[in-house]
Amino acid sequence: MSATAADPGARLRAEAARALARIVFDGVSLRSAFDARAARNADPRDRALLSATLFESTRWWLRFDAALAGMLERPLPSKAREVRALLVLALVQVEVMAMPSYAVVAACVDAVRLLGQPGLAGLANAVLRRWLREREARLAALDADTTTQAAHPRWIVDALRADWPEAWRGMIEANNHAAALTLRVNRRRSTREALLERLVADGVGATAHGDLDDAIVLDASTDVSRLPGFAEGHFSVQDGAAQRVATLLGVADGQRVLDACAAPGGKTAHLLERASLEVVALDADAGRLPRLRENLARLGLSAQVRQGDAAAPAAWWDGRPFDRILVDAPCSATGIIRRQPDVKLHRRASDIRVLATTQRRLLDALWPLLVPGGRMLYTTCSVLRTENEAVVAGFAAAHADARTIALPDGLGEAAGGGRQNLPGSGGMDGFFYALVEKAH
Amino acid sequence: MALMKIVEFPDPRLRTVAQPVTVFDAELAKLVADMFETMYEAPGIGLAATQVDVHRQLLVVDVSEDKNQPLVLVNPRVVERSGTQVCQEGCLSVPGIFADVERAERIRVEAQDAKGAAQVIEADGLLAVCIQHEMDHLAGKLFVDYLSPLKRELVRKKLAKQRRNAA
Ligand SMILES: C[S@@+](CC[C@H](N)C(=O)[O-])C[C@H]1O[C@@H](n2cnc3c(N)ncnc32)[C@H](O)[C@@H]1O
Ligand SMILES: [Zn+2]
């Protein structure tokens, strides 16, 4: 019997190829492409395979798409883009995910038919077998250039090398490794010890983070919504680098705080878990506010959630100043490529200037909302100096009443007026912090 | 190991009824290995000896995702069947054609392995479909026989056209 639509391996790969094509060619985010397919795959094993395949194929696209191009006499036509995605994911399953090659080849050749391109099944078979015969020489050729060796676009390699002449190689390497899952205990509902005990009792490998009060690092990635205590709001998922923000902002009970770029509310919630505050949680994107509200509700927290452009406070500010302002700005996300590998494919070099302009506008517009003696914390998950220290330096130079406050060494590399955690350093994401105080 | 040529519909050899296997020797072991190679290469999830022009009661299957659960059935007999299921089937001897076929949902099969040892297999789902499909081959039957005569004629024309295009 030939494998048919009922053959799960082929069907799953055809689905993955369709989702991957959406990510690579249509600019759809990895997360939404996965979510759109996940619903149809109730079986947790199928879901896990789909997720891992999409992650690794996105992460390694630039390497194995180049590998594929090297084996084709002429490029596949655009109507065969799903077959192109399928062949790349086949190479990734063999080379990165270490799946048995005969299984991958067989299922992928069938998947070509399921993608409605039976005429390309022979080509797919020939190309994949050729790869298996010639893989060593071909891998060596890919390794000769950083873009194809590490599957990063040229502009990111160049930007990292320029900004971090010592560290760039390690950063690229870290970007290609999946990140550990880190939880944040909701200290209003539980304690780290109690949660750890519950997790371990449930057979989930987990340890307390050495430097962060609220953090638990899981041994293996898992569907967190199935962990004990999730529905009851005992914890959230949040990288360690982001968990430093609440401490750095230095909040105390009774303060009025603005979280200017709040959705989906990870940092808003952490602030509220640690102190009794009056928080205005603002975000420009109305579509992201429901998630913010859901998260606060699940954790048993409350804030004034508002939609608005932080750079235009007249539309939403009631005139009462804030003791603390957090600007967790929109950025290139170049510090979290290990978690969002689609950044490699979706960001353009030209985005960076535009982002820096927005970031600077946010700081300028929000500064008047801060009380004298108040503090504003600027954070990004970028590792590019243009978005980080350059923005802060320009801002500080333009405001005589602004003073940047030195941050502890432990936060990462000194970077102008702030600190940069490099991706993977301390097991955490790439993250930039700068704290500015307003003169009395 | 060597790849074997798969006989294609409407070749009359596919109508041959297979004879029981009586000798379990090295030659049989080699045939089994070659059939697996041919099946994986095709790629397929099952292959009956009939399809490679060997008219012995022997079939190989592997319906696993990772292609790591090979199963050899020699002289198989269905001793129990229950329920029904409809599955879209395709056949390496009828390339490019897929059609829904109704089969037993669960079966219990008594057979021998490649060394002649007796085995009993309880199968359901895709594995049950695949074993029934391959056992049909041993009896000279094809999945297209379950289609209406009109549909079968369409299949024959479609295959003839495919062949002309390939030539
Ligand atoms: C890095 S994310 C914030 C993550 C959030 N602080 C958390 O910890 O969960 C940046 C957010 O800024 C929002 N944003 C972008 N431009 C904005 C603007 N002009 N005013 C307010 N929010 C903006 C985006 O919609 C996005 O939700
Ligand atoms: Zn068949």
Side-chain angles (χ1 to χ4, degrees), chain B residues 1-12:
Chain B
M1 293 213 297
L3 285 181
M4 304 178 80
K5 187 160 166 30
I6 297 177
V7 177
E8 289 187 6
F9 179 78
D11 192 309

Side-chain angles (χ1 to χ4, degrees), chain A residues 184 237-238 242 245 259-270 282-289 291-292 295 306-312 316 326-331 333 336 355 358 361-362 366 379-381 431:
Chain A
R184 183 192 78 234
V237 173
Q238 191 175 47
V245 166
D259 186 349
C261 301
K267 300 181 190 74
T268 318
H270 197 199
L282 182 79
D283 202 280
D285 185 347
R288 288 167 64 96
L289 293 182
R291 271 286 299 286
L292 166 59
N295 283 333
R306 321 204 59 143
Q307 189 272 325
D309 177 358
W316 49 266
L326 171 61
V327 185
D328 188 29
C331 72
I336 55 171
L355 284 164
T358 304
R361 267 201 308 132
L362 293 175
L366 294 168
T379 56
T380 72
C381 54
F431 220 81

Side-chain angles (χ1 to χ4, degrees), chain A residues 19-217:
Chain A
L20 185 59
R22 300 277 291 142
I23 296 168
V24 175
F25 303 114
D26 296 338
V28 170
S29 76
L30 172 56
R31 178 173 305 251
S32 47
F34 171 71
D35 287 349
R37 298 275 159 190
R40 280 188 249 163
N41 290 280
D43 184 319
R45 281 187 44 211
D46 285 354
R47 248 218 293 256
L49 179 60
L50 184 64
S51 166
T53 299
L54 287 181
F55 256 92
E56 297 305 335
S57 301
T58 304
R59 198 191 305 285
W60 292 105
W61 176 267
L62 292 170
R63 178 170 171 82
F64 291 104
D65 187 46
L68 175 63
M71 292 185 288
L72 293 173
E73 258 161 44
R74 63 192 106 82
L76 288 168
S78 62
K79 72 173 173 34
R81 61 183 215 160
E82 289 172 343
V83 174
R84 177 169 159 198
L86 177 74
L87 292 174
V88 171
L89 81 78
L91 297 178
V92 169
Q93 287 191 331
V94 170
E95 296 300 331
V96 179
M97 300 170 73
M99 296 178 73
S101 56
Y102 52 88
V104 172
V105 173
C108 284
V109 171
D110 275 343
V112 174
R113 298 196 179 94
L114 297 180
L115 291 173
Q117 303 269 2
L120 292 176
L123 172 98
N125 189 41
V127 162
L128 295 177
R129 283 171 194 283
R130 176 159 180 206
W131 173 263
L132 297 177
R133 280 196 312 273
E134 301 173 358
R135 56 184 291 282
E136 269 167 46
R138 292 190 172 274
L139 286 171
L142 294 169
D143 286 346
D145 184 278
T146 309
T147 61
T148 47
Q149 183 255 322
H152 277 58
R154 169 72 55 204
W155 78 269
I156 293 186
V157 174
D158 289 347
L160 292 182
R161 192 179 354 215
D163 280 4
W164 301 99
E166 314 266 280
W168 70 278
R169 282 178 191 283
M171 294 167 80
I172 282 177
E173 159 107 37
N175 288 345
N176 284 338
H177 284 97
L181 203 54
T182 307
L183 307 183
R184 183 192 78 234
V185 181
N186 178 0
R187 40 167 83 197
R188 292 200 184 268
R189 293 236 161 131
S190 185
T191 63
R192 181 156 76 169
E193 290 60 44
L195 184 59
L196 268 173
E197 237 170 71
R198 268 187 94 175
L199 289 172
V200 171
D202 232 53
V204 180
T207 44
H209 194 288
D211 304 323
L212 298 164
D213 298 349
D214 298 325
I216 290 177
V217 182

Side-chain angles (χ1 to χ4, degrees), chain A residues 1-2, chain B residues 46 51 90-93 133-134 137 142-143:
Chain A
M1 206 170 129
S2 65
Chain B
Q51 293 176 274
C91 178
L92 298 175
S93 294
H133 176 116
E134 303 312 336
H137 279 301
L142 291 168
F143 86 111

Side-chain angles (χ1 to χ4, degrees), chain A residues 247-301:
Chain A
T247 329
L248 279 178
L249 195 56
V251 287
D253 285 356
Q255 283 179 337
R256 186 169 146 82
V257 178
L258 171 65
D259 186 349
C261 301
K267 300 181 190 74
T268 318
H270 197 199
L271 290 167
L272 287 163
E273 287 163 6
R274 292 185 67 109
S276 297
L277 308 167
E278 183 194 342
V279 173
V280 174
L282 182 79
D283 202 280
D285 185 347
R288 288 167 64 96
L289 293 182
R291 271 286 299 286
L292 166 59
R293 289 206 175 86
E294 262 167 48
N295 283 333
L296 293 177
R298 184 178 59 83
L299 297 165
L301 306 167

Side-chain angles (χ1 to χ4, degrees), chain A residues 220-400:
Chain A
S221 177
T222 176
D223 178 356
V224 286
S225 66
R226 285 165 201 247
L227 293 181
F230 179 81
E232 303 99 294
H234 289 192
F235 66 88
S236 304
V237 173
Q238 191 175 47
D239 185 73
Q243 294 194 39
R244 289 159 153 181
V245 166
T247 329
L248 279 178
L249 195 56
V251 287
D253 285 356
Q255 283 179 337
R256 186 169 146 82
V257 178
L258 171 65
D259 186 349
C261 301
K267 300 181 190 74
T268 318
H270 197 199
L271 290 167
L272 287 163
E273 287 163 6
R274 292 185 67 109
S276 297
L277 308 167
E278 183 194 342
V279 173
V280 174
L282 182 79
D283 202 280
D285 185 347
R288 288 167 64 96
L289 293 182
R291 271 286 299 286
L292 166 59
R293 289 206 175 86
E294 262 167 48
N295 283 333
L296 293 177
R298 184 178 59 83
L299 297 165
L301 306 167
S302 68
Q304 299 162 36
V305 176
R306 321 204 59 143
Q307 189 272 325
D309 177 358
W316 49 266
W317 186 43
D318 62 6
R320 290 159 58 219
F322 294 98
D323 301 299
R324 296 284 183 271
I325 296 178
L326 171 61
V327 185
D328 188 29
C331 72
S332 62
T334 40
I336 55 171
I337 288 175
R338 60 195 199 130
R339 288 189 200 281
Q340 293 181 19
D342 45 344
V343 167
K344 288 172 170 181
L345 305 177
H346 294 160
R347 281 291 170 203
R348 298 280 168 264
S350 55
D351 295 344
I352 305 305
R353 287 254 136 250
V354 179
L355 284 164
T357 308
T358 304
Q359 290 154 351
R360 173 66 193 281
R361 267 201 308 132
L362 293 175
L363 295 180
D364 285 342
L366 294 168
W367 189 242
L369 279 57
L370 194 63
V371 293
R375 288 177 170 195
M376 182 159 86
L377 180 65
Y378 174 67
T379 56
T380 72
C381 54
S382 167
V383 291
L384 302 180
R385 294 188 192 263
T386 308
E387 294 178 84
N388 294 336
E389 60 185 88
V391 170
V392 174
F395 167 80
H399 299 268

